Amino acid sequence: MLDLASLTDFLSQPRRIVITTHHKPDGDAMGSSLGLYNYLIQQGHHTHVITPTDYPDFLSWMPGNGEVIIYTANQELSARLVAEAEMVFCLDFNSLSRINELGEEVRKSSAYKVMIDHHLEPEDFDDYRHWDINACAAAQLVYTFITDQLNNKALINKDVATCLYTGIMTDSASFRLPNTTSAVHRIVADLIDAGANNSRIHELVYNSASENRLKFLGHCLANCLEILPEYNTAIISVNKADLQRFDVNTGDTEGIVNYALSIASVRLAAFVVERTDRVKLSLRSKGEFPANEICKKYFNGGGHRNAAGGHSDKSLDDTVAQLKLILPEYKKLLIQ
Ligand code: 5GP
Ligand code: MN
C-alpha cells in the first residue's frame, strides 16, 4: 500500500510509468489516460499509454495519441514495458479482467499500481486508489488527482485540459447525466480556461462520422429496433452480416443505443451486436433503473446504473431471447 505522501515522493523524480485503460477504450478511457500522460511527461517521467485493444478514429486525435501502444498489435513491447515499469496507472476500470491478457502482465509486474476509477466494486489489485463512484468520469478523477492530491494545477496545460475535457464530455453524455454536478461544471470551466477548445472537441468527437456509419444508424433504427411496450424497453439487435454490409468499424456502434433510449416511454434500451468472437450488449437506462445489475447478473459484465455492458457466448437470437426473459423480473421498476 502507498499513502499519498509516499506516492508524491515517489513521483518527485523521473520514473518509468505505464498508463493503461479498459479494452475497446471509449472517450473517457482515452481522455483520462492521455490527460494523465500529458501531465506526467511534463515532469520528465518515461510514460507509455498502453491500450488492450484498438479504439475508434473519432478518439484518435488527442494530444499524445501518436505515442499510444496497442497491446494486440505490440504484445512483446507492451509486456516488456509493463514488466519494467515502476508504476502502472489503471484508469477507468477496476478489475484486471477488463484489460484482457494485459491484466496478467500487470498482475505479475512489481510496479506500484494506482487505480483511478469510478466503477462499482473494485477488485483488490492496487497499491493506491483514487476512486469515487459519484464521479461522472475517470477524467474528472484525474483532474482532482492532479489538482487536489498532487497539488499541481499549474501543470494542467492545454494538452492535459483537452484530453480531460474529452473524457468528461463523453462519459457525461455531453454534460447531461445526473452526475454532471456543479462541481463538474466548475472543473470543465477550468479546463476551458486552461486551453481546451470545447467547440472544436465537440466537432472532432461527434461530427466526424462516415457516410457508412450514418447509413448503418438508419438501418438499425428502421430495421433492427424492437419496442416492448409492456416493459418500456427497446432492443436494437444487429448481426454480423449487417456489420459487414455497412463496413462497420470500431466505434461505429457507439451511441446508437441512446437513440432507443430517446423514446419518451423507454426506460431501458439495449444494443446487442454479434461481434466476431461473442455477442456484446450495451444497456442504457433512465432514472433509478439498474442496467448494471442485469449486466452483472446475466451477461458477465457491469458498469454504471444508467450505462452498463456485458457479453454472452450464446447466439445473437438466444441472447436477445434471454434478455426478454429477464424483463418480467424487472417489470415493476420498468413501468413505474
Ligand atoms: P458500453 O455499453 O459503452 O460498452 O459500456 C457502458 C459502461 O459499462 C462503461 O462504463 C463500461 O465501463 C461498462 N462496461 C461495458 N462492458 C463491460 C463489461 O464487460 N464488464 C464491466 N464490468 N463493465 C462493462
Ligand atoms: Mn468512465
Side-chain angles (χ1 to χ4, degrees):
M1 275 295 148
L2 266 181
D3 59 18
L4 180 56
S6 317
L7 174 74
T8 310
D9 187 49
F10 180 84
L11 289 174
S12 65
Q13 51 178 292
R15 300 288 184 180
R16 293 183 303 277
I17 294 178
V18 163
I19 300 170
T20 188
T21 188
H22 61 78
H23 79 125
K24 291 288 165 195
D26 58 9
D28 188 31
M30 293 315 298
S32 58
S33 296
L34 286 169
L36 184 64
Y37 169 84
N38 284 298
Y39 166 78
L40 291 170
I41 59 172
Q42 293 176 71
Q43 298 186 311
H45 298 297
H46 306 287
T47 311
H48 294 278
V49 175
I50 304 177
T51 61
T53 65
D54 64 349
Y55 49 94
D57 287 345
F58 67 81
L59 298 174
S60 299
W61 55 269
M62 276 181 258
N65 180 71
E67 306 301 317
V68 174
I69 297 164
I70 299 174
Y71 174 77
T72 43
N74 300 281
Q75 296 192 12
E76 268 176 40
L77 173 63
S78 304
R80 181 165 62 76
L81 290 171
V82 171
E84 289 173 359
E86 295 168 275
M87 181 165 275
V88 176
F89 281 91
C90 298
L91 302 193
D92 201 30
F93 72 96
N94 62 26
S95 153
L96 290 177
S97 63
R98 295 277 289 144
I99 59 172
N100 305 346
E101 292 86 6
L102 193 53
E104 269 323 295
E105 306 295 343
V106 171
R107 200 187 296 280
K108 66 185 192 215
S109 158
S110 60
Y112 285 122
K113 284 121 200 163
V114 177
M115 177 198 296
I116 302 182
D117 180 55
H118 65 140
H119 293 88
L120 293 166
E121 298 172 8
E123 184 192 315
D124 206 6
F125 66 85
D126 51 324
D127 300 291
Y128 183 86
R129 187 175 291 188
H130 184 42
W131 174 74
D132 181 359
I133 55 162
N134 295 313
C136 75
Q140 178 186 346
L141 295 172
V142 169
Y143 177 90
T144 53
F145 179 66
I146 295 171
T147 56
D148 301 350
Q149 304 206 328
L150 302 180
N151 266 317
N152 256 334
K153 190 168 174 181
L155 292 190
I156 306 253
N157 63 13
K158 181 175 176 161
D159 288 349
V160 176
T162 298
C163 299
L164 297 184
Y165 183 97
T166 305
I168 294 174
M169 177 186 83
T170 51
D171 245 29
S172 67
S174 297
F175 318 106
R176 257 189 297 162
L177 296 180
N179 51 14
T180 320
T181 58
S182 61
V184 172
H185 281 281
R186 283 188 194 96
I187 290 172
V188 167
D190 275 354
L191 295 175
I192 293 172
D193 285 345
N197 184 335
N198 51 321
S199 166
R200 184 167 152 71
I201 293 171
H202 209 277
E203 287 292 315
L204 286 166
V205 173
Y206 294 118
N207 289 351
S208 62
S210 63
E211 186 181 331
N212 264 338
R213 141 92 200 188
L214 218 63
K215 289 186 170 157
F216 174 64
L217 170 63
H219 171 69
C220 289
L221 301 182
N223 307 316
C224 311
L225 170 67
E226 184 181 2
I227 313 275
L228 304 158
E230 82 250 56
Y231 296 112
N232 290 334
T233 294
I235 302 173
I236 296 174
S237 59
V238 179
N239 63 29
K240 231 181 259 178
D242 289 329
L243 298 183
Q244 273 162 9
R245 186 173 144 210
F246 291 95
D247 191 23
V248 172
N249 292 310
T250 301
D252 284 346
T253 54
E254 202 154 311
I256 292 180
V257 64
N258 291 319
Y259 288 90
L261 195 69
S262 73
I263 299 168
S265 61
V266 167
R267 280 182 74 82
L268 175 66
F271 183 81
V272 192
V273 57
E274 186 183 19
R275 297 261 178 227
T276 32
D277 48 345
R278 57 196 181 184
V279 171
K280 162 94 179 86
L281 297 99
S282 278
L283 263 56
R284 298 292 184 270
S285 69
K286 289 178 188 152
E288 298 300 311
F289 189 85
N292 51 355
E293 190 183 302
I294 293 185
C295 289
K296 187 170 177 224
K297 226 163 129 180
Y298 298 103
F299 297 111
N300 316 293
H304 312 280
R305 188 182 59 202
N306 297 125
H311 58 86
S312 166
D313 292 325
K314 296 192 167 89
S315 70
L316 178 68
D317 288 348
D318 288 352
T319 306
V320 172
Q322 186 189 359
L323 179 60
K324 288 180 184 171
L325 279 176
I326 292 163
L327 296 178
E329 184 189 331
Y330 290 93
K331 185 161 186 175
K332 239 181 165 167
L333 281 173
L334 287 166
I335 59 171
Q336 269 175 5

